[in-house]
Amino acid sequence: MSAGTMPARVVVPVPQMEKPKVVSTSMSWYFGFFFVSGFCSILYELIWLRLAMAQFGVTTAMVSIVLSSFMAGLGIGSWAAGQLVSKYAERLTASPLQLYGVAELMIGCSAVVVPLELLLGRVVLEHVGASLSLSSAGYYVAAGVWLACTLIPWCACMGATIPLGMFAIRSDKSLESKRSFSFLYLANVLGAVAGTLIPLALIELFGFNRTLQIGMVFNLAICGTALCLAGRSARQKANAAANAEPDENNGARDGRQGATMTSSSPAPSLPSLREMLGNGTLWLLFATGLTSMGMEVVWTRLYTIYVGTLVYSFALILGVYLAATFLGSTVYRWWSRRHGSEGSMVWMYVWLAALIPLLTADARLGMSAWWRVPAGVAAFSGLLGFVTPSLVDHFSEGDPNRAGAGYAVNVAGCILGPLVAGFGLLPYLDERYALVLLALPWLIVGLWYAFRQPAPAKRFTAPIAIAVGVILAASLGLILGTRSYVQMIPGAQVRRDSTATVIAAGQGMHKQLYVNGVSMTVLTPITKVMASLPLALLDHTPQKALVICFGMGTTHRSMLSWGIDSTAVDLVPSVPALFWYFHSDAAQVLASPHSHVVADDGRRFLERTNEQYDVIVIDPPPPIGAAGSSLLYSREFYSAAKKRLRPDGILAQWYPGGDRTTTAAVARALKDSFPYVRTFVSISNWGVHYLASNQPIPVRSAAELAHRLPPSAAADLVEWGPFHTTEQQFAAVLKNEVPLDLPISLDRNAPAMEDDRPVNEYGFLRHTSWWPH
């Protein structure tokens, strides 16, 4: 070894203690949470709406109140949760997943509590609001306040889940959080798609309340899983901190592990109100909410003529909307990994897509009825599913507070949309023009973005000019070249209101009444028998009668021919307005002091009136499975009717016919509700007259019944035949009497029709060949 040579230093490795890993909650857990949560939210919304209709009335105003309260709760919850995260994140002792779990726990509790609150609200209004007139604004105010207080707190818990989920993702540094809103939104919408379909089968099998309880179990499962994951994560962090190296750097790093937000990525601050009002992204979010929900209202009227008024028809529209939204959000998630923006032309595409229903709703287009909805709705819904999460992601940059504010703005548009469409446009305009007006903002936005792109993007170019020209030409062709179903009915008399579009058409005995394009009734002697048969069977001289469902007004007119007071109730205000079209003496009939016509939900009127009637006639609108129609066939309805009947009064229920299970369910509900029921097949050999009473219904011959009619009533009964004398008319009915057990025997296992088990409305499974019967 030379003097100038230093000895080689030998480095002996020192064994290091391996640090325990902190395993983060996988993003797949969050996807699962929000899929199930989205499923439950739609399940609750659909059932709560129906339960509210049963308690407060089947009116457009009531439906709007329920939906607005639901959406308001979502918006308030989203905003409040964002504020909570922003202001108190550093001081919260509970982990983000624990907060999320508590929100899901509260949502689960709502499945049991909300039905009780709705029932209590009905009882309170019956006593406190007894002085309110049946159709008064005061009643809607009182009911609206109760519904808002009932639904908003629970729906706020639903709205809070996305900001809290984003908070949990942002708190985990191993997870990508900048696009977390679109990720959770995607899962939530996919769950909502399932929520439009699966609950229909659950309700058919178990009824409304048990289906709500199934939803509650799912919410509690989410809560339990989230709390378990939060506990596991906390234990792992504690073990990691206990075994950490005691050096300064590691100590600082370990100290930061418990923080909810990293100092390296500060959350963007929430803009002031003035800045928000000037923020174009927020205005676009508001517009997407307004137009999407407004369009849904218009689509329902536009496509009813093709898909009908069944619950499955509405589920089809909602399901297509949500499925297309999910696909659009999926495309956005893929697109956003490769592109920085959605492009300047996307808004022009939205404008054009919004007009496609004009084509698919045109009767001249040779297309299957059930394919018209997907073909017309999917493009617009998919584009909004693309741009909505994009706008929120860009506005929030992964911050729960800003995401909550952006989502709340979107929900505010969702609240306003149905009100604008249902009360501002459809009562005055053809559905086609209402659709164009709702789409018009996207034309303005599209032209603005096409012509005024921000730097450093290129200005208006030739390809963009050509594309804009093609879209404008196509949209003009859709607006001017298509026709609505109203234009396809020659000589149609049209009336519009917030509830429906009503059309009277035809000549002579071939006149027809259409509501939203669906034929409701025709001129038939059956409607005259509905009045005269129960009146002639009474043991006393009648004084008052009630007709639920006005229709063409024939039954109401026949009641008045007896010289008694008759009150007719119809949900759609425009229906009685066309009485003159079907009866030349309509003006004289309506001017009678005995005539009273009320625009209201028939069941709500019956439950809130204090009058006693000799005869109550119910003639529900077709088809037998129409959404909400079971509320006029259920045991609860008959219980309310019994209170309004005089001791020996008669309830006359018209049943147009249906499947075996529905027929048995209606008959069983009558048998369970009244001790005395008689059953007659109509003189046209279709449909059934059910006569029910608390006292024995007299057995009289046709001659005895004919003798009891006043001259004017006798003339009215045979006005349209098919027989020339009242005795012959009654004889044709009496010979068709059948025992009540006959319709019940069609399905011995059918439950009685109840508000909780609307057998007539939910029958998909029993009509399929693969389901066991």
Side-chain angles (χ1 to χ4, degrees):
M1 180 186 302
S2 61
T5 303
M6 296 290 293
R9 185 168 60 183
V10 179
V11 179
V12 179
V14 178
Q16 300 275 331
M17 181 179 294
E18 183 179 353
K19 293 182 61 179
K21 289 185 177 181
V22 178
V23 181
S24 63
T25 302
S26 169
M27 289 292 278
S28 60
W29 280 109
Y30 290 102
F31 192 93
F33 289 158
F34 279 82
F35 173 86
V36 177
S37 184
F39 169 83
C40 293
S41 295
I42 291 295
L43 182 152
Y44 294 151
E45 179 184 7
L46 295 175
I47 296 181
W48 289 348
L49 174 60
R50 178 51 188 277
L51 295 180
M53 290 164 60
Q55 303 298 344
F56 300 103
V58 188
T59 65
T60 300
M62 198 57 61
V63 171
S64 299
I65 290 170
V66 173
L67 295 180
S68 296
S69 298
F70 192 93
M71 299 305 298
L74 294 181
I76 291 172
S78 177
W79 174 82
Q83 289 290 301
L84 173 72
V85 170
S86 174
K87 294 183 178 181
Y88 303 105
E90 300 295 337
R91 286 181 278 175
L92 291 173
T93 56
S95 71
L97 262 180
Q98 288 175 326
L99 294 176
Y100 172 74
V102 171
E104 292 289 350
L105 173 64
M106 297 299 293
I107 296 170
C109 293
S110 70
V112 175
V113 178
V114 167
L116 299 177
E117 290 181 307
L118 294 176
L119 181 60
L120 178 61
R122 173 182 171 183
V123 174
V124 169
L125 285 185
E126 285 179 352
H127 291 83
V128 178
S131 60
L132 297 174
S133 64
L134 293 171
S135 299
S136 70
Y139 175 84
Y140 286 117
V141 171
V145 170
W146 187 274
L147 284 167
C149 293
T150 296
L151 298 180
I152 286 178
W154 303 110
C155 296
C157 296
M158 298 179 188
T161 55
I162 284 187
L164 292 178
M166 293 179 65
F167 181 32
I169 292 173
R170 187 182 179 91
S171 301
D172 193 329
K173 291 176 289 186
S174 66
L175 300 179
E176 191 273 324
S177 65
K178 200 164 187 179
R179 296 183 302 131
S180 58
F181 175 86
S182 59
F183 176 80
L184 300 180
Y185 181 83
L186 182 72
N188 210 237
V189 171
L190 182 60
V193 173
T196 63
L197 303 175
I198 297 175
L200 300 181
L202 296 177
I203 293 169
E204 181 178 350
L205 294 174
F206 307 115
F208 289 127
N209 282 291
R210 289 181 64 186
T211 300
L212 285 174
Q213 292 165 10
I214 292 172
M216 177 184 67
V217 170
F218 284 132
N219 283 123
L220 296 181
I222 297 174
C223 170
T225 306
L227 294 179
C228 288
L229 291 174
R232 185 188 71 175
S233 178
R235 289 191 297 271
Q236 290 174 342
K237 288 182 178 180
N239 292 336
N243 293 281
E245 294 178 351
D247 61 78
E248 181 179 1
N249 291 333
N250 286 341
R253 184 172 64 250
D254 291 338
R256 286 195 302 270
Q257 282 182 345
T260 55
M261 301 287 182
T262 60
S263 59
S264 61
S265 57
S269 61
L270 188 67
S272 65
L273 178 61
R274 177 177 295 181
E275 291 171 331
M276 291 177 71
L277 291 175
N279 190 302
T281 299
L282 292 179
W283 280 109
L284 289 174
L285 280 171
F286 178 81
T288 58
L290 186 148
T291 55
S292 62
M293 294 298 289
M295 289 282 189
E296 279 194 56
V297 175
V298 178
W299 293 337
T300 300
R301 284 211 196 176
L302 203 60
Y303 290 112
T304 295
I305 187 173
Y306 302 110
V307 298
T309 56
L310 308 177
V311 291
Y312 302 101
S313 308
F314 303 129
L316 173 67
I317 295 174
L318 181 60
V320 170
Y321 167 75
L322 290 172
T325 300
F326 167 75
L327 292 176
S329 301
T330 303
V331 171
Y332 162 70
R333 291 284 298 176
W334 171 84
W335 175 275
S336 61
R337 296 189 188 100
R338 296 163 176 79
H339 303 85
S341 67
E342 61 276 355
S344 60
M345 286 297 295
V346 67
W347 306 110
M348 291 298 296
Y349 301 147
V350 172
W351 152 254
L352 182 61
L355 301 180
I356 294 177
L358 297 178
L359 175 63
T360 59
D362 193 323
R364 298 171 298 174
L365 181 68
M367 179 180 288
S368 169
W370 290 91
W371 281 107
R372 290 177 182 269
V373 173
V377 170
F380 176 77
S381 304
L383 283 168
L384 288 193
F386 180 94
V387 300
T388 300
S390 169
L391 293 170
V392 177
D393 274 350
H394 291 160
F395 177 73
S396 68
E397 298 180 2
D399 176 51
N401 188 22
R402 292 177 67 92
Y407 186 55
V409 169
N410 180 256
V411 169
C414 292
I415 296 171
L416 191 60
L419 301 177
V420 170
F423 295 96
L425 298 178
L426 290 175
Y428 311 104
L429 297 173
D430 185 282
E431 290 83 358
R432 299 174 69 258
Y433 302 127
L435 193 80
V436 172
L437 283 179
L438 283 171
L440 191 59
W442 298 120
L443 174 62
I444 298 171
V445 171
L447 292 175
W448 172 266
Y449 272 83
F451 281 91
R452 298 290 300 272
Q453 299 180 73
K458 296 180 180 180
R459 304 295 293 177
F460 196 66
T461 61
I464 292 178
I466 294 173
V468 169
V470 170
I471 291 174
L472 290 177
S475 60
L476 193 63
L478 287 172
I479 295 171
L480 300 180
T482 57
R483 299 176 67 183
S484 70
Y485 69 87
V486 176
Q487 296 171 301
M488 304 294 288
I489 301 176
Q493 295 290 325
V494 183
R495 298 292 184 273
R496 305 178 189 278
D497 56 50
S498 60
T499 305
T501 299
V502 182
I503 300 172
Q507 299 296 324
M509 289 297 293
H510 299 289
K511 293 177 180 178
Q512 286 191 302
L513 175 69
Y514 301 89
V515 176
N516 289 336
V518 177
S519 178
M520 290 288 109
T521 184
V522 295
L523 296 174
T524 170
I526 292 175
T527 51
K528 294 179 176 292
V529 174
M530 290 181 196
S532 289
L533 180 61
L535 288 173
L537 284 169
L538 290 172
D539 261 340
H540 64 274
T541 302
Q543 295 178 341
K544 289 184 178 181
L546 173 65
V547 179
I548 295 179
C549 299
F550 187 87
M552 291 179 170
T554 305
T555 305
H556 177 58
R557 180 172 174 263
S558 296
M559 290 289 191
L560 292 170
S561 71
W562 282 70
I564 63 174
D565 284 345
S566 176
T567 300
V569 183
D570 201 281
L571 176 63
V572 183
S574 294
V575 166
L578 288 169
F579 185 31
W580 63 269
Y581 187 86
F582 305 105
H583 301 282
S584 58
D585 59 350
Q588 178 184 348
V589 170
L590 293 177
S592 168
H594 297 295
S595 174
H596 312 281
V597 178
V598 179
D600 198 3
D601 170 56
R603 174 164 168 169
R604 186 168 76 94
F605 179 93
L606 186 68
E607 292 173 339
R608 299 189 66 239
T609 184
N610 293 319
E611 297 288 345
Q612 294 288 303
Y613 299 98
D614 299 290
V615 169
I616 297 175
V617 176
I618 307 104
D619 181 14
I624 185 63
S629 62
S630 65
L631 296 174
L632 296 179
Y633 293 106
S634 67
R635 290 199 300 189
E636 292 83 355
F637 172 69
Y638 295 140
S639 176
K642 288 169 67 174
K643 298 175 183 177
R644 303 279 74 86
L645 276 175
R646 289 184 173 165
D648 58 345
I650 296 175
L651 178 138
Q653 172 76 68
W654 168 250
Y655 177 69
D659 65 84
R660 300 169 69 91
T661 302
T662 298
T663 302
V666 171
R668 191 179 295 277
L670 283 163
K671 183 176 182 178
D672 291 351
S673 303
F674 291 91
Y676 302 97
V677 181
R678 296 181 67 182
T679 307
F680 303 88
V681 177
S682 79
I683 55 176
S684 298
N685 292 315
W686 65 271
V688 177
H689 298 279
Y690 287 108
L691 302 185
S693 179
N694 291 315
Q695 301 292 332
I697 300 174
V699 177
R700 295 194 173 100
S701 67
E704 290 174 319
L705 293 176
H707 180 72
R708 298 176 66 86
L709 269 65
S712 57
D716 174 82
L717 182 61
V718 297
E719 180 183 9
W720 298 335
F723 301 97
H724 299 293
T725 68
T726 54
E727 183 175 346
Q728 291 173 323
Q729 202 92 320
F730 280 128
V733 177
L734 294 179
K735 74 176 183 179
N736 285 339
E737 183 170 10
V738 297
L740 181 61
D741 285 340
L742 179 61
I744 293 176
S745 68
L746 294 176
D747 188 345
R748 292 292 183 184
N749 297 320
M753 190 81 72
E754 295 179 331
D755 287 351
D756 190 59
R757 292 291 300 274
V759 175
N760 62 320
E761 298 178 43
Y762 296 85
F764 175 78
L765 294 179
R766 68 174 181 267
H767 291 148
T768 56
S769 58
W770 50 268
W771 187 259
H773 297 281

